[in-house]
Structure formats: C-alpha cells, structure tokens
Amino acid sequence: SPDTSRYKDKRRSPSTSSSSGSSSGSESEQELCFTAAQLAEHMCELFVSVTSKKVKSQRALDMLSLCLHDDLKVLPLSRQPTEGVWPESSQSFVAQWQLLQTLTTAQMSPKTRIYVQVPQRKDLASFCVDVFPTNNAPGFSPSGVCGDGGAVVVVYRAVDGKITHIWCGDDMGVSERAMTEEQFLDSELFVGNILEVMFESFGARNLEDMVIHFNDYTDIPVAG
C-alpha cells in the first residue's frame, strides 16, 4: 500500500469553486473539460430527473452518454471477483442504467464526497469519491450497476472531460458514521481501497502532489 503520510500535509479545505472541481484556464476550456466531480454530480441529477419524470428517458440517456468514455469500465473496488453487473463499455452501461429508471428513489445525493486532482498536471486524471447511504445511489451498489439499494462507495475517474472508470464497493459502514476529513482519509476504506486506485493512476511521484477536497453533506455547521 502507498505511504499516506507523504500527502497529508498537502491537503487543503474545499472552497466553493474547488468542491466542484474547477481549475485554472480559460472559461471555454473549463466548460469543455469537466472534472470527475462535475460529471458525478451530473449523473446524479440525470438519474433523479428521469426517475421523477422531469426529463424524457431518451434525452437523459443521450446526455449520460456524453459524460462517458466509449471504453468505460465499471469494476469492483475490492479487486476480488464479485458477482454483479459490471459493464465494460459506455454502451452497455447506458443500457443497464436504462433498466434502472423505473426505480422509485429518493434524492440521489452522497453523504460524503471527495474530489482529487494534481493541480500541476492538467493531463492527469481527476477522481471523485461518493459515499451513498442506503437507497441513495444513482443505480450503483456494491454489486455494480444493479441498483439493489445497498450503501455504496463509488469512485469515478475522469480524463479529458469523460468518465473512463467507475469502481463500486462496500462503504464499510462509513455512511452510517459522522467522520471528519482526517478520519475518512485515515479509514480502511480510503487507505486500503480508494488510495490504491489513485496510486495506480497517478504513480508515486504525482501522488505526493495530489490535492484532496473533502465535503461531508450531513455534518454542516448551522449558524445560531
């Protein structure tokens, strides 16, 4: 496993712009090259729109296709052979996602989201990690794209404005606990599973320069 102590002093708190994964560059470049966090949020919005009948199914599927790389892979986060539904292309993912649109779902929103990037290397992938409580994930479960309603952690990898990989796995109880950023990044879920995925993409050298933006949407201080 990679040494997590090397990047801890490089973490920084999210701002309004960083939580959505914005980066430097012209406005046109930012519009054309969406980050993993922006694409993940868009997928949640599309799923809600379809299940609530606010958007026609085919239009939503067309919009979803624009978010995905043609060779999209959906993989188990545990790296162990897992029974389930694991699409190996954007076409098979969209077809499976279409089958799930009859689900009656609540608002699709993660309990915890982290966005990860290496600011100095715009050519590298960006990552978004969403932890969804039970019955809150947009068609994902620890068994892949099957919408069985279980609590799940979903890791999205994006390059050049397209999602290239999605990993799904057991959230290891994280969605049931209030966790600080430090606790989450020191958890077995992050260090044992999620960081391994990022390590393979970034490499040891770039892992030292990655910046993590952390958001816990259930533990927001209320003034007064």
Side-chain angles (χ1 to χ4, degrees):
S1 297
D3 179 8
T4 62
S5 64
R6 294 179 298 177
Y7 68 83
K8 284 185 179 178
D9 60 340
K10 298 180 181 294
R11 299 189 306 234
R12 69 184 182 203
S13 299
S15 63
T16 302
S17 59
S18 64
S19 63
S20 63
S22 60
S23 59
S24 61
S26 69
E27 290 184 4
S28 60
E29 288 176 338
Q30 292 179 23
E31 289 174 358
L32 293 174
C33 192
F34 297 112
T35 66
Q38 291 169 323
L39 292 167
E41 181 65 22
H42 190 47
M43 289 181 67
C44 288
E45 293 171 352
L46 285 174
F47 198 84
V48 171
S49 296
V50 171
T51 55
S52 62
K53 312 301 182 186
K54 292 181 180 179
V55 175
K56 290 184 178 180
S57 176
Q58 189 56 53
R59 174 171 170 76
L61 294 175
D62 291 343
M63 294 172 69
L64 174 65
S65 296
L66 295 176
C67 299
L68 309 175
H69 191 280
D70 289 345
D71 297 325
L72 169 75
K73 297 291 186 295
V74 183
L75 305 165
L77 186 61
S78 64
R79 311 302 180 82
Q80 300 297 322
T82 304
E83 292 186 2
V85 182
W86 307 99
E88 296 185 351
S89 70
S90 62
Q91 185 176 7
S92 59
F93 178 89
V94 171
Q96 179 61 25
W97 202 71
Q98 185 175 18
L99 298 177
L100 304 176
Q101 293 179 5
T102 57
L103 295 177
T104 54
T105 57
Q107 181 178 356
M108 298 293 100
S109 57
K111 172 189 177 293
T112 301
R113 169 174 287 169
I114 67 171
Y115 167 64
V116 182
Q117 64 178 154
V118 178
Q120 301 89 333
R121 294 288 306 277
K122 304 302 181 184
D123 57 312
L124 294 179
S126 64
F127 286 87
C128 178
V129 179
D130 282 349
V131 179
F132 292 98
T134 301
N135 293 322
N136 261 54
F140 297 113
S141 83
S143 299
V145 188
C146 59
D148 65 9
V152 61
V153 57
V154 183
V155 181
Y156 310 83
R157 177 185 185 271
V159 177
D160 295 331
K162 302 281 187 179
I163 295 175
T164 64
H165 295 74
I166 298 173
W167 290 267
C168 301
D170 191 311
D171 79 328
M172 302 177 74
V174 169
S175 64
E176 299 175 359
R177 307 195 303 271
M179 300 184 76
T180 63
E181 177 181 4
E182 190 76 21
Q183 290 171 332
F184 181 83
L185 297 181
D186 285 340
S187 69
E188 182 181 353
L189 174 64
F190 184 77
V191 176
N193 293 323
I194 298 170
L195 192 59
E196 291 283 353
V197 168
M198 297 179 184
F199 180 78
E200 289 184 4
S201 183
F202 289 150
R205 181 176 181 179
N206 291 307
L207 193 72
E208 297 180 355
D209 296 323
M210 75 179 188
V211 173
I212 299 174
H213 310 285
F214 176 86
N215 293 277
D216 188 330
Y217 299 109
T218 61
D219 189 22
I220 300 174
V222 179

